[in-house]
Amino acid sequence: MDALDDAPPPLTGLDAIVDQFPTYEDYLDNQVTNVDMYYLENEEMARSLVELGYRGEGEILRRDEFETRKEQMYVVNRARGNKKPKKLASAGKELSKKPLLKALAQREEAVRVGKLSTLIYVRDFNKKGHEISGYVDYADRLANSNFELVFDKKKPIMPTPKDLSYFNWETMNSTVNDSPNWQVITDDERGILFKNTRDGKIVDVDPKAKPGDNTTRFDVKTDEYHHVVLYDHLTRRRK
């Protein structure tokens, strides 16, 4: 059989439109013009006007229509694919008594497919008794390490000099590094900030400040580590 026979048919009509945009918000943003933003000066208001049909070109898809077609396309693509989805590192693990690992397992699939970017702040003591703190890019760790060892409780999640930030309170050694998903900003008066490379949004990790657009802070109550905080950022493609 010719390999071309296995290729999916080209998308047409509304399916082709839906396939262009990861989320409904991206679809609405594509209908907003520079003129709209000049007069409205508010992204959410501009989206609402598009959704209501007051802006944009042609007939605008309703949110439920968009999401239904998106789900149908996902099901069809999964059924057509010959490869099994990548097994999650957390699959089949007993994590009910490990709050941090349970929280990371709940986020793993969304992080792997790029729907979610999670920063992990950890503060704890290493084998030498030195207090270590820093920020870890969860997606980068999943991609570049055997994270199943973490879910098997054979390896801790400790910041290293290769992570987004690292500080040894005993030796005063510190490092910062960008990752494929985050740019570290250290010259801002607010303190250390993280800029998402996908949508350009800033995450403020100051516990007294709001974390930023599309970002939620979760303090994890656990005896696994001295202090752990998760910052969940819902990612959207920048126009």
Side-chain angles (χ1 to χ4, degrees):
M1 179 182 294
D2 195 315
L4 292 177
D5 293 339
D6 294 329
L11 297 173
T12 59
L14 294 178
D15 285 343
I17 295 173
V18 170
D19 189 57
Q20 292 181 50
F21 306 102
T23 68
Y24 187 65
E25 284 71 24
D26 288 313
Y27 166 68
L28 294 177
D29 287 347
N30 188 64
Q31 298 286 333
V32 176
T33 67
N34 291 333
V35 175
D36 292 333
M37 290 305 300
Y38 177 80
Y39 287 105
L40 296 172
E41 298 183 344
N42 185 295
E43 186 180 60
E44 292 301 324
M45 183 180 293
R47 287 179 187 161
S48 296
L49 290 176
V50 171
E51 190 169 1
L52 292 171
Y54 296 114
R55 289 290 188 276
E57 297 181 359
E59 185 176 354
I60 301 300
L61 280 169
R62 299 193 310 271
R63 182 180 294 273
D64 61 332
E65 292 175 327
F66 181 94
E67 293 178 349
T68 297
R69 286 182 177 273
K70 202 75 170 173
E71 179 64 23
Q72 290 172 344
M73 291 166 63
Y74 172 78
V75 171
V76 170
N77 289 334
R78 283 290 296 272
R80 182 182 291 125
N82 292 322
K83 292 184 179 180
K84 295 181 179 179
K86 182 178 178 64
K87 180 184 176 183
L88 299 178
S90 58
K93 311 299 182 185
E94 171 50 51
L95 306 172
S96 60
K97 296 182 180 180
K98 298 293 182 180
L100 174 58
L101 295 183
K102 182 178 179 181
L104 293 178
Q106 291 169 342
R107 292 160 170 77
E108 183 185 358
E109 185 172 12
V111 169
R112 284 191 183 276
V113 300
K115 293 181 179 179
L116 184 71
S117 285
T118 297
L119 294 168
I120 309 171
Y121 172 77
V122 177
R123 184 168 182 169
D124 204 30
F125 297 88
N126 65 14
K127 293 180 179 179
K128 295 181 179 180
H130 296 179
E131 186 172 1
I132 306 295
S133 64
Y135 290 88
V136 175
D137 178 351
Y138 185 26
D140 195 47
R141 278 286 186 96
L142 284 173
N144 296 297
S145 69
N146 183 2
F147 213 83
E148 191 167 358
L149 293 176
V150 176
F151 286 120
D152 281 333
K153 312 172 194 68
K154 296 178 180 178
K155 185 178 180 180
I157 307 169
M158 287 294 288
T160 74
K162 295 182 179 180
D163 283 309
L164 293 171
S165 76
Y166 167 88
F167 185 67
N168 184 317
W169 294 79
E170 180 73 20
T171 65
M172 305 303 288
N173 179 37
S174 65
T175 61
V176 293
N177 304 282
D178 294 338
S179 77
N181 309 296
W182 297 98
Q183 176 187 347
V184 186
I185 300 173
T186 59
D187 58 355
D188 192 282
E189 62 182 9
R190 291 170 290 179
I192 190 169
L193 303 171
F194 297 92
K195 183 177 181 180
N196 186 266
T197 57
R198 179 178 171 87
D199 61 14
K201 299 292 186 180
I202 300 294
V203 175
D204 188 340
V205 294
D206 182 344
K208 297 180 181 179
K210 292 183 178 180
D213 293 342
N214 307 325
T215 300
T216 306
R217 171 190 167 109
F218 292 93
D219 285 277
V220 181
K221 305 300 182 184
T222 178
D223 58 4
E224 299 162 89
Y225 300 89
H226 182 66
H227 188 199
V228 178
V229 182
L230 301 180
Y231 294 86
D232 288 335
H233 181 71
L234 292 172
T235 53
R236 295 177 50 251
R237 183 174 297 170
R238 180 165 42 183
K239 291 181 65 181

